[in-house]
Amino acid sequence: MATKRTSPTGSPGRRVALDGILVALALIFSYAETLIPFNFGVPGIKLGLANLVVLLGLTFLPALDVFLISMVRILLSSLLFGNVMSLWYSLAGGLLSFAAMYLLTKREGYSLVGISMTGGVLHNIGQVITAAIVVRTLQLTWYLPVLLVAGLVTGAIVGTVATLLVPRVRKALQRYS
């Protein structure tokens, strides 16, 4: 998976414009998730559609750009669609998830599906750790097995979609660079 990431944008202005478009796309995905009734009787499980932008970004863009896109998306989506507590949970999950996915993209032998599954699991772990700190109890860890399975399943779905999109995104980036 470790591919050379060169900026497909050319000029700094095009790079900023692409990053802005990707933040907007990730926000649209975050908003769409608030509209999709994805409930298996377990609160807090989301598909993680915005992670498509992170996965594809890690494939084609400099890591710093993808990190900033992810953090700006988390901040804006928490302000627009959540609250202060959702910001802390999302930041904890997002930072842990991004770090792991970034490290895996630097190594050979990991598919986007595997990277996405790892990101989904670690996002949920980050959120459970944050919740345990907020409520000052480790009893929340009983919820972790359910969230780990959910992270694997949703990560596999998002990773599969990302894998299918890579050739199309590569073609589009070549056309506009």
Side-chain angles (χ1 to χ4, degrees):
M1 175 74 218
T3 59
K4 187 172 189 297
R5 285 158 196 81
T6 56
S7 178
T9 56
S11 71
R14 289 182 77 178
R15 181 175 171 182
V16 169
L18 178 60
D19 289 356
I21 289 168
L22 293 176
V23 167
L25 182 60
L27 273 172
I28 290 167
F29 287 155
S30 292
Y31 179 65
E33 276 194 337
T34 66
L35 301 175
I36 298 170
F38 188 73
N39 187 346
F40 292 110
V42 181
I45 295 176
K46 291 184 181 178
L47 193 52
L49 293 175
N51 202 37
L52 274 171
V53 174
V54 174
L55 285 169
L56 292 171
L58 285 170
T59 303
F60 295 107
L61 300 173
L64 179 60
D65 284 22
V66 183
F67 177 76
L68 293 174
I69 289 165
S70 181
M71 294 301 109
V72 169
R73 194 268 317 159
I74 288 169
L75 175 66
L76 291 176
S77 64
S78 293
L79 292 173
L80 293 170
F81 318 125
N83 55 48
V84 175
M85 288 312 297
S86 68
L87 172 63
W88 292 115
Y89 293 120
S90 294
L91 273 175
L95 288 169
L96 194 57
S97 174
F98 180 86
M101 291 190 303
Y102 169 72
L103 291 173
L104 290 178
T105 61
K106 293 297 184 187
R107 300 187 55 112
E108 293 289 330
Y110 293 97
S111 68
L112 281 178
V113 173
I115 292 168
S116 179
M117 290 170 71
T118 302
V121 164
L122 287 176
H123 190 277
N124 290 341
I125 289 172
Q127 289 188 326
V128 168
I129 290 170
T130 302
I133 291 169
V134 168
V135 298
R136 295 184 178 146
T137 182
L138 292 177
Q139 290 182 351
L140 291 174
T141 56
W142 69 266
Y143 193 42
L144 201 50
V146 174
L147 290 178
L148 295 181
V149 171
L152 289 172
V153 171
T154 59
I157 293 167
V158 171
T160 300
V161 172
T163 300
L164 294 172
L165 290 175
V166 164
R168 291 169 176 84
V169 171
R170 181 174 287 122
K171 187 183 234 183
L173 289 173
Q174 288 171 346
R175 187 176 2 186
Y176 294 110
S177 62

PDB file of all heavy atoms in Angstrom, residues 3-4 20 24 32 36 40 49 82-83 86 94 109 115 125 142-143 161:
ATOM      1  N   THR A   3       2.465   3.924  -1.165  1.00  0.00           N
ATOM      2  CA  THR A   3       2.660   4.547  -2.459  1.00  0.00           C
ATOM      3  C   THR A   3       3.206   5.939  -2.252  1.00  0.00           C
ATOM      4  O   THR A   3       2.982   6.562  -1.221  1.00  0.00           O
ATOM      5  CB  THR A   3       1.337   4.641  -3.241  1.00  0.00           C
ATOM      6  OG1 THR A   3       0.414   5.398  -2.469  1.00  0.00           O
ATOM      7  CG2 THR A   3       0.774   3.275  -3.530  1.00  0.00           C
ATOM      8  N   LYS A   4       3.917   6.431  -3.249  1.00  0.00           N
ATOM      9  CA  LYS A   4       4.472   7.773  -3.157  1.00  0.00           C
ATOM     10  C   LYS A   4       3.344   8.785  -3.331  1.00  0.00           C
ATOM     11  O   LYS A   4       2.592   8.742  -4.284  1.00  0.00           O
ATOM     12  CB  LYS A   4       5.521   7.960  -4.253  1.00  0.00           C
ATOM     13  CG  LYS A   4       6.284   9.248  -4.141  1.00  0.00           C
ATOM     14  CD  LYS A   4       7.420   9.254  -5.142  1.00  0.00           C
ATOM     15  CE  LYS A   4       8.346  10.407  -4.957  1.00  0.00           C
ATOM     16  NZ  LYS A   4       7.812  11.695  -5.148  1.00  0.00           N
ATOM     17  N   GLY A  20     -10.048  22.465   0.695  1.00  0.00           N
ATOM     18  CA  GLY A  20     -11.358  23.025   1.052  1.00  0.00           C
ATOM     19  C   GLY A  20     -12.502  22.186   0.500  1.00  0.00           C
ATOM     20  O   GLY A  20     -13.502  21.952   1.188  1.00  0.00           O
ATOM     21  N   ALA A  24     -15.328  20.122   2.657  1.00  0.00           N
ATOM     22  CA  ALA A  24     -16.765  20.236   2.367  1.00  0.00           C
ATOM     23  C   ALA A  24     -17.375  18.864   2.085  1.00  0.00           C
ATOM     24  O   ALA A  24     -18.463  18.554   2.578  1.00  0.00           O
ATOM     25  CB  ALA A  24     -16.990  21.174   1.187  1.00  0.00           C
ATOM     26  N   ALA A  32     -24.841  13.639   6.099  1.00  0.00           N
ATOM     27  CA  ALA A  32     -25.650  12.536   5.570  1.00  0.00           C
ATOM     28  C   ALA A  32     -25.812  11.441   6.624  1.00  0.00           C
ATOM     29  O   ALA A  32     -26.882  10.838   6.732  1.00  0.00           O
ATOM     30  CB  ALA A  32     -25.013  11.971   4.305  1.00  0.00           C
ATOM     31  N   ILE A  36     -29.216   9.317   8.025  1.00  0.00           N
ATOM     32  CA  ILE A  36     -29.384   7.896   7.762  1.00  0.00           C
ATOM     33  C   ILE A  36     -29.689   7.179   9.069  1.00  0.00           C
ATOM     34  O   ILE A  36     -28.878   7.211   9.998  1.00  0.00           O
ATOM     35  CB  ILE A  36     -28.115   7.285   7.125  1.00  0.00           C
ATOM     36  CG1 ILE A  36     -27.826   7.938   5.783  1.00  0.00           C
ATOM     37  CG2 ILE A  36     -28.257   5.782   6.971  1.00  0.00           C
ATOM     38  CD1 ILE A  36     -26.474   7.561   5.203  1.00  0.00           C
ATOM     39  N   PHE A  40     -28.811  -0.386  15.120  1.00  0.00           N
ATOM     40  CA  PHE A  40     -28.973  -1.814  15.386  1.00  0.00           C
ATOM     41  C   PHE A  40     -29.317  -2.051  16.849  1.00  0.00           C
ATOM     42  O   PHE A  40     -28.983  -3.076  17.414  1.00  0.00           O
ATOM     43  CB  PHE A  40     -27.695  -2.572  15.025  1.00  0.00           C
ATOM     44  CG  PHE A  40     -27.411  -2.588  13.561  1.00  0.00           C
ATOM     45  CD1 PHE A  40     -26.348  -1.871  13.043  1.00  0.00           C
ATOM     46  CD2 PHE A  40     -28.209  -3.302  12.688  1.00  0.00           C
ATOM     47  CE1 PHE A  40     -26.078  -1.882  11.695  1.00  0.00           C
ATOM     48  CE2 PHE A  40     -27.942  -3.321  11.330  1.00  0.00           C
ATOM     49  CZ  PHE A  40     -26.883  -2.607  10.837  1.00  0.00           C
ATOM     50  N   LEU A  49     -18.762   7.520   7.068  1.00  0.00           N
ATOM     51  CA  LEU A  49     -18.610   7.914   5.659  1.00  0.00           C
ATOM     52  C   LEU A  49     -17.519   8.954   5.435  1.00  0.00           C
ATOM     53  O   LEU A  49     -16.830   8.927   4.416  1.00  0.00           O
ATOM     54  CB  LEU A  49     -19.948   8.446   5.133  1.00  0.00           C
ATOM     55  CG  LEU A  49     -21.080   7.439   5.028  1.00  0.00           C
ATOM     56  CD1 LEU A  49     -22.368   8.138   4.615  1.00  0.00           C
ATOM     57  CD2 LEU A  49     -20.726   6.330   4.060  1.00  0.00           C
ATOM     58  N   GLY A  82     -23.425  18.667  16.223  1.00  0.00           N
ATOM     59  CA  GLY A  82     -23.254  18.025  17.522  1.00  0.00           C
ATOM     60  C   GLY A  82     -23.222  19.036  18.642  1.00  0.00           C
ATOM     61  O   GLY A  82     -23.968  20.009  18.644  1.00  0.00           O
ATOM     62  N   ASN A  83     -22.317  18.788  19.577  1.00  0.00           N
ATOM     63  CA  ASN A  83     -22.156  19.664  20.726  1.00  0.00           C
ATOM     64  C   ASN A  83     -20.715  19.582  21.206  1.00  0.00           C
ATOM     65  O   ASN A  83     -19.889  18.903  20.600  1.00  0.00           O
ATOM     66  CB  ASN A  83     -23.144  19.284  21.832  1.00  0.00           C
ATOM     67  CG  ASN A  83     -23.020  17.825  22.223  1.00  0.00           C
ATOM     68  OD1 ASN A  83     -21.929  17.315  22.453  1.00  0.00           O
ATOM     69  ND2 ASN A  83     -24.153  17.131  22.271  1.00  0.00           N
ATOM     70  N   SER A  86     -19.548  16.038  21.851  1.00  0.00           N
ATOM     71  CA  SER A  86     -19.291  15.278  20.629  1.00  0.00           C
ATOM     72  C   SER A  86     -17.953  15.676  20.020  1.00  0.00           C
ATOM     73  O   SER A  86     -17.283  14.849  19.402  1.00  0.00           O
ATOM     74  CB  SER A  86     -20.434  15.436  19.629  1.00  0.00           C
ATOM     75  OG  SER A  86     -20.502  16.748  19.123  1.00  0.00           O
ATOM     76  N   GLY A  94     -10.838  10.454  16.306  1.00  0.00           N
ATOM     77  CA  GLY A  94     -10.230  10.871  15.050  1.00  0.00           C
ATOM     78  C   GLY A  94      -8.716  10.909  15.106  1.00  0.00           C
ATOM     79  O   GLY A  94      -8.037  10.501  14.158  1.00  0.00           O
ATOM     80  N   GLY A 109       1.898  -3.991   2.470  1.00  0.00           N
ATOM     81  CA  GLY A 109       1.097  -5.148   2.811  1.00  0.00           C
ATOM     82  C   GLY A 109      -0.247  -4.867   3.451  1.00  0.00           C
ATOM     83  O   GLY A 109      -0.933  -5.804   3.847  1.00  0.00           O
ATOM     84  N   ILE A 115      -6.725  -1.074   6.566  1.00  0.00           N
ATOM     85  CA  ILE A 115      -6.419   0.229   7.171  1.00  0.00           C
ATOM     86  C   ILE A 115      -7.693   0.863   7.710  1.00  0.00           C
ATOM     87  O   ILE A 115      -7.724   1.399   8.822  1.00  0.00           O
ATOM     88  CB  ILE A 115      -5.719   1.149   6.142  1.00  0.00           C
ATOM     89  CG1 ILE A 115      -4.321   0.601   5.831  1.00  0.00           C
ATOM     90  CG2 ILE A 115      -5.653   2.588   6.650  1.00  0.00           C
ATOM     91  CD1 ILE A 115      -3.651   1.247   4.640  1.00  0.00           C
ATOM     92  N   ILE A 125     -12.250   2.911  20.165  1.00  0.00           N
ATOM     93  CA  ILE A 125     -11.454   2.812  21.395  1.00  0.00           C
ATOM     94  C   ILE A 125     -11.194   4.207  21.960  1.00  0.00           C
ATOM     95  O   ILE A 125     -11.322   4.436  23.168  1.00  0.00           O
ATOM     96  CB  ILE A 125     -10.145   2.043  21.147  1.00  0.00           C
ATOM     97  CG1 ILE A 125     -10.440   0.559  20.915  1.00  0.00           C
ATOM     98  CG2 ILE A 125      -9.159   2.236  22.304  1.00  0.00           C
ATOM     99  CD1 ILE A 125      -9.239  -0.261  20.476  1.00  0.00           C
ATOM    100  N   TRP A 142     -17.510  -2.406  29.126  1.00  0.00           N
ATOM    101  CA  TRP A 142     -18.391  -3.511  28.732  1.00  0.00           C
ATOM    102  C   TRP A 142     -18.943  -3.293  27.326  1.00  0.00           C
ATOM    103  O   TRP A 142     -19.295  -4.231  26.635  1.00  0.00           O
ATOM    104  CB  TRP A 142     -19.554  -3.687  29.716  1.00  0.00           C
ATOM    105  CG  TRP A 142     -20.546  -2.555  29.679  1.00  0.00           C
ATOM    106  CD1 TRP A 142     -20.552  -1.459  30.473  1.00  0.00           C
ATOM    107  CD2 TRP A 142     -21.645  -2.396  28.770  1.00  0.00           C
ATOM    108  NE1 TRP A 142     -21.587  -0.606  30.127  1.00  0.00           N
ATOM    109  CE2 TRP A 142     -22.284  -1.173  29.073  1.00  0.00           C
ATOM    110  CE3 TRP A 142     -22.158  -3.168  27.730  1.00  0.00           C
ATOM    111  CZ2 TRP A 142     -23.389  -0.702  28.379  1.00  0.00           C
ATOM    112  CZ3 TRP A 142     -23.272  -2.687  27.045  1.00  0.00           C
ATOM    113  CH2 TRP A 142     -23.871  -1.474  27.371  1.00  0.00           C
ATOM    114  N   TYR A 143     -19.004  -2.025  26.924  1.00  0.00           N
ATOM    115  CA  TYR A 143     -19.542  -1.634  25.625  1.00  0.00           C
ATOM    116  C   TYR A 143     -18.509  -1.816  24.507  1.00  0.00           C
ATOM    117  O   TYR A 143     -18.841  -1.851  23.332  1.00  0.00           O
ATOM    118  CB  TYR A 143     -19.973  -0.171  25.745  1.00  0.00           C
ATOM    119  CG  TYR A 143     -20.824   0.371  24.640  1.00  0.00           C
ATOM    120  CD1 TYR A 143     -21.859  -0.346  24.080  1.00  0.00           C
ATOM    121  CD2 TYR A 143     -20.593   1.657  24.153  1.00  0.00           C
ATOM    122  CE1 TYR A 143     -22.638   0.170  23.074  1.00  0.00           C
ATOM    123  CE2 TYR A 143     -21.367   2.186  23.148  1.00  0.00           C
ATOM    124  CZ  TYR A 143     -22.386   1.445  22.613  1.00  0.00           C
ATOM    125  OH  TYR A 143     -23.156   1.959  21.621  1.00  0.00           O
ATOM    126  N   VAL A 161     -15.426   0.543  -0.269  1.00  0.00           N
ATOM    127  CA  VAL A 161     -15.845   1.659  -1.130  1.00  0.00           C
ATOM    128  C   VAL A 161     -14.627   2.489  -1.539  1.00  0.00           C
ATOM    129  O   VAL A 161     -14.484   2.860  -2.715  1.00  0.00           O
ATOM    130  CB  VAL A 161     -16.916   2.531  -0.434  1.00  0.00           C
ATOM    131  CG1 VAL A 161     -17.213   3.784  -1.241  1.00  0.00           C
ATOM    132  CG2 VAL A 161     -18.191   1.723  -0.205  1.00  0.00           C
TER     133      VAL A 161
END
